């Protein structure tokens, strides 16, 4: 994301936020459950620009829960556009994207931002970069599908997501059970 003058990219979960407070974070994208209380860890951060989105980490509708929607991905891409527009005003920057665990919504958001910033970069290369930032990345497939459509990638992000899931099942064998327990079996089937 050098075109955005962001030199450092971080993905984490809520429990890791205090450990990032001294890292000169300039921009934060928070993806939280709708009923989650405001996060006090940001009180210890220096001056930064923060956007918060609220929806659940699900891939199929569930009673009382908010599905990721196109407007959520649009808000993520608007955040990315804001980074691009303000790039001239800064020499460096540190973007931190987080969700509850730093595994699904935040990794889908970061992937969307990277794909937006580098439209010429291949999809598999984007996922490799994502794994370098967050080895346990398991991006929410619904969000990736919306980003794929919105960025005009013609299904290539979704196809690369399948390969990414296949890679992760080997690299992170516990994901098979974890995603099954979370009702994300459809994403496991994508990898097969």
């Amino acid at each position: 994301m050098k075109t955005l003058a962001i030199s450092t990219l971080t993905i984490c979960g809520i429990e890791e936020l205090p450990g990032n407070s001294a890292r000169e974070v300039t921009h934060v994208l928070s993806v939280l459950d709708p009923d989650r209380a405001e996060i006090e860890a940001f009180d210890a951060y220096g001056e930064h620009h923060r956007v918060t989105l609220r929806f659940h980490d699900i891939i199929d509708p569930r009673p009382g829960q908010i599905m990721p929607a196109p407007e959520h991905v649009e808000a993520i891409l608007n955040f990315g556009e804001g980074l691009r527009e303000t790039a001239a005003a800064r020499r460096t920057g540190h973007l931190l994207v987080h969700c509850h665990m730093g595994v699904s919504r935040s990794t889908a958001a970061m992937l969307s931002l990277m794909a937006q910033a580098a439209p010429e970069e291949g999809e598999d290369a984007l996922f490799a970069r994502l794994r370098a930032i967050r080895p346990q990345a398991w991006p929410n497939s619904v969000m990736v599908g919306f980003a794929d459509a919105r960025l005009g990638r013609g299904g290539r992000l979704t196809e690369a997501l399948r390969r990414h899931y296949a890679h992760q099942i080997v690299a992170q064998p516990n994901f098979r059970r974890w995603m099954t327990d979370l009702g994300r079996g459809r994403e496991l089937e994508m990898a097969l």
Side-chain angles (χ1 to χ4, degrees):
M1 292 186 43
K2 292 182 180 179
T3 58
L4 302 176
I6 296 291
S7 53
T8 305
L9 302 176
T10 299
I11 300 170
C12 72
I14 292 172
E15 290 184 5
E16 299 165 272
L17 288 172
N20 284 290
S21 64
R23 296 187 62 209
E24 298 182 12
V25 172
T26 58
H27 297 82
V28 175
L29 178 60
S30 296
V31 185
L32 301 172
D33 289 348
D35 56 350
R36 172 75 188 188
E38 187 54 44
I39 298 173
E40 295 178 11
F42 290 114
D43 295 343
Y45 280 53
E47 184 179 337
H48 63 279
H49 173 70
R50 180 173 173 226
V51 169
T52 302
L53 301 175
R54 292 183 177 272
F55 55 91
H56 291 97
D57 186 23
I58 55 177
I59 62 169
D60 294 304
R62 290 187 181 175
Q65 295 196 356
I66 299 172
M67 281 280 296
E71 55 267 21
H72 296 126
V73 172
E74 189 66 32
I76 291 165
L77 297 175
N78 287 341
F79 178 83
E81 184 62 25
L83 290 175
R84 189 189 64 74
E85 289 173 356
T86 60
R90 63 181 180 276
R91 291 178 43 168
T92 62
H94 182 168
L95 170 62
L96 183 147
V97 179
H98 82 90
C99 60
H100 188 81
M101 298 290 295
V103 173
S104 184
R105 289 172 291 181
S106 57
T107 61
M110 184 67 85
L111 178 76
S112 300
L113 293 169
M114 293 188 315
Q116 177 187 41
E120 72 292 341
E121 188 167 359
E123 290 76 19
D124 289 318
L126 289 167
F127 279 99
R129 284 180 51 208
L130 182 67
R131 287 190 299 272
I133 297 166
R134 190 70 168 171
Q136 63 268 47
W138 188 275
N140 181 294
S141 60
V142 173
M143 293 174 66
V144 172
F146 292 141
D148 193 334
R150 170 60 176 75
L151 295 171
R153 292 262 179 167
R156 294 184 310 276
L157 270 181
T158 301
E159 284 305 310
L161 178 63
R162 291 175 182 274
R163 293 185 291 276
H164 171 78
Y165 286 162
H167 175 276
Q168 292 300 77
I169 289 171
V170 173
Q172 310 271 347
N174 58 324
F175 273 10
R176 187 178 296 275
R177 183 172 174 271
W178 189 20
M179 291 303 145
T180 300
D181 291 348
L182 291 173
R184 306 276 287 268
R186 192 160 49 86
E187 291 175 336
L188 289 169
E189 291 170 8
M190 287 175 68
L192 302 177

